[in-house]
Amino acid sequence: MSAARKAGAPATATTGRGAPVGATKPRVVSGRVVRTRGGRVSLRVQGRALAVTSVLVVALVVITGVTLTTGDFELSVGEVLRALAGNGSGGADFIVNTLRMPRLVTALCVGAALAVSGAVLQSLTRNALGSPDIIGFTNGSATGALVVIVVFHGSMTQIAVGALIGGLATAVVVYLLVFGGGMQGFRLVVMGIGVSALLLAVNSYLITRASWQEALEAQAWLIGSLGNRGWDHAIAIGVAVAVLLPLAFGLAGRLSMVEMGDDTATALGVDVARSRVALLFVSVALAAFGTAVTGPIWFIALAAPQVARKLIRSPGPGLVPAALMGAVMLAGSDLAVQRVFSPALLPVGTATGTIGGLYLIWLLVTESRKSRV
């Protein structure tokens, strides 16, 4: 909590050298601007960000290759390519197109969705803890899913719809609570943590009211897993990502300006209120769709954007590297739990929870040390 307070609190004290404590560092704009001939479209390209993005793409290709060719039934690269082209043997076609490919596509899309959701929220709140799984949106999705499981005894599709509605409803509640006192990052994080605690209690109550079978089903969903995910799940999250990620990338410029402060953004011609609502909706929708497909997978939204930002050393949110980092983290974690712990069927949520918990401890210790400087 101290990390949240320091990151979100206004800086008024000064150090012995006269520099304001916790003040936002001046943003240094770097990189080369590439323009079209008419000059109507321009793009600023940063060499380090481009290099990191290229490395992440290579990592994704490697993870994809290892995932599709290894396992209980190993396949050669040629067999995988022929199966993808529809010319493979019956066994290879079943292993690649029915078992491995839908799971991999789901992992890549969910990882990218969660990472961009976290990157947008962290920039909006200007707080490292501004993540959907910290401020309650993920627990809201879990509540919606549990209501469908326990109360309505719904199917997997209905559970996914319930999770989506739960996440969006939680975002509306948190936004209304925050909106009355001004949209401040620290206030949003604290309100979100409170709402998350309430929803966690509701989730526990729902499980106690369920039958043994429903409780087991609910508990399995709450861990977060990519097991038994087919093309229905992959297509659903794929369509959501195809619609929402371009929206997020298109709003990245406004996000960078809002991150510099409301006054600065307004002076630069940005409608801060509308931009913030649009970005918040995109962020919550990405997290809700991802959670609806796999269940709550913790800490990808928290860690991936921060790791990507540290690597590219960019003052902006860096949504594209964050998306790739999230995809690498989730697909890599799922590959690890499948291969390292085989034949045990370990959900990927346990791996991301363990690694993310260690990362959160490191983050809080680091922020605490910074606050004492």
Side-chain angles (χ1 to χ4, degrees):
M1 185 63 67
S2 60
R5 188 180 301 280
K6 289 299 180 183
T12 54
T14 57
T15 65
R17 298 177 181 178
V21 176
T24 304
K25 294 181 179 179
R27 175 167 296 184
V28 178
V29 180
S30 60
R32 175 174 296 180
V33 177
V34 180
R35 292 186 176 87
T36 58
R37 286 189 175 182
R40 293 184 178 181
V41 179
S42 62
L43 178 66
R44 183 176 297 278
V45 180
Q46 296 179 333
R48 187 178 181 87
L50 186 61
V52 171
T53 301
S54 301
V55 171
L56 290 174
V57 170
V58 172
L60 277 181
V61 173
V62 172
I63 291 173
T64 298
V66 175
T67 299
L68 295 179
T69 56
T70 63
D72 294 336
F73 300 94
E74 295 190 357
L75 300 171
S76 65
V77 175
E79 288 176 316
V80 170
L81 293 177
R82 284 193 292 273
L84 291 175
N87 299 321
S89 62
D93 180 71
F94 177 76
I95 292 171
V96 173
N97 292 319
T98 303
L99 298 180
R100 295 177 181 173
M101 200 63 188
R103 179 169 181 155
L104 176 64
V105 172
T106 304
L108 296 176
C109 292
V110 171
L114 294 177
V116 172
S117 174
V120 171
L121 274 181
Q122 287 169 10
S123 293
L124 281 178
T125 60
R126 280 168 273 171
N127 195 304
L129 296 180
S131 171
D133 44 5
I134 297 292
I135 60 180
F137 299 161
T138 304
N139 273 337
S141 297
T143 302
L146 287 178
V147 168
V148 175
I149 294 173
V150 176
V151 179
F152 299 105
H153 312 289
S155 63
M156 283 303 298
T157 302
Q158 292 168 330
I159 292 171
V161 173
L164 180 62
I165 295 174
L168 294 175
T170 304
V172 171
V173 171
V174 172
Y175 184 80
L176 291 176
L177 289 173
V178 174
F179 187 75
M183 185 71 180
Q184 299 176 359
F186 172 68
R187 184 180 175 85
L188 177 63
V189 172
V190 172
M191 284 290 185
I193 291 175
V195 172
S196 179
L198 289 174
L199 292 171
L200 192 60
V202 172
N203 295 346
S204 299
Y205 171 77
L206 288 172
I207 291 178
T208 62
R209 304 302 299 174
S211 65
W212 281 104
Q213 183 62 34
E214 291 169 344
L216 287 174
E217 184 181 355
Q219 195 59 45
W221 190 87
L222 286 174
I223 294 175
S225 174
L226 287 163
N228 299 321
R229 295 304 184 268
W231 281 113
D232 291 343
H233 301 90
I235 292 174
I237 187 62
V239 170
V241 165
V243 173
L244 293 171
L245 281 191
L247 288 176
F249 296 154
L251 292 169
R254 295 186 182 184
L255 180 61
S256 298
M257 296 181 191
V258 172
E259 193 179 34
M260 290 188 289
D262 291 2
D263 294 338
T264 303
T266 302
L268 292 172
V270 176
D271 188 331
V272 175
R274 289 186 179 181
S275 299
R276 185 174 282 131
V277 170
L279 286 162
L280 189 61
F281 173 78
V282 172
S283 173
V284 173
L286 284 169
F289 273 110
T291 305
V293 171
T294 61
I297 294 181
W298 305 100
F299 294 114
I300 293 293
L302 174 72
Q306 296 185 43
V307 173
R309 198 160 180 165
K310 288 181 184 299
L311 288 176
I312 63 176
R313 297 178 185 175
S314 170
L319 297 185
V320 174
L324 293 172
M325 180 61 71
V328 167
M329 280 188 172
L330 188 53
S333 298
D334 188 50
L335 176 63
V337 297
Q338 288 186 76
R339 301 296 182 265
V340 176
F341 298 98
S342 178
L345 300 177
L346 196 64
V348 69
T350 58
T352 60
T354 303
I355 298 172
L358 296 173
Y359 178 79
L360 181 60
I361 293 173
W362 173 83
L363 176 65
L364 293 174
V365 170
T366 302
E367 293 294 333
S368 178
R369 287 175 178 172
K370 288 181 180 177
S371 68
R372 291 198 296 267
V373 175

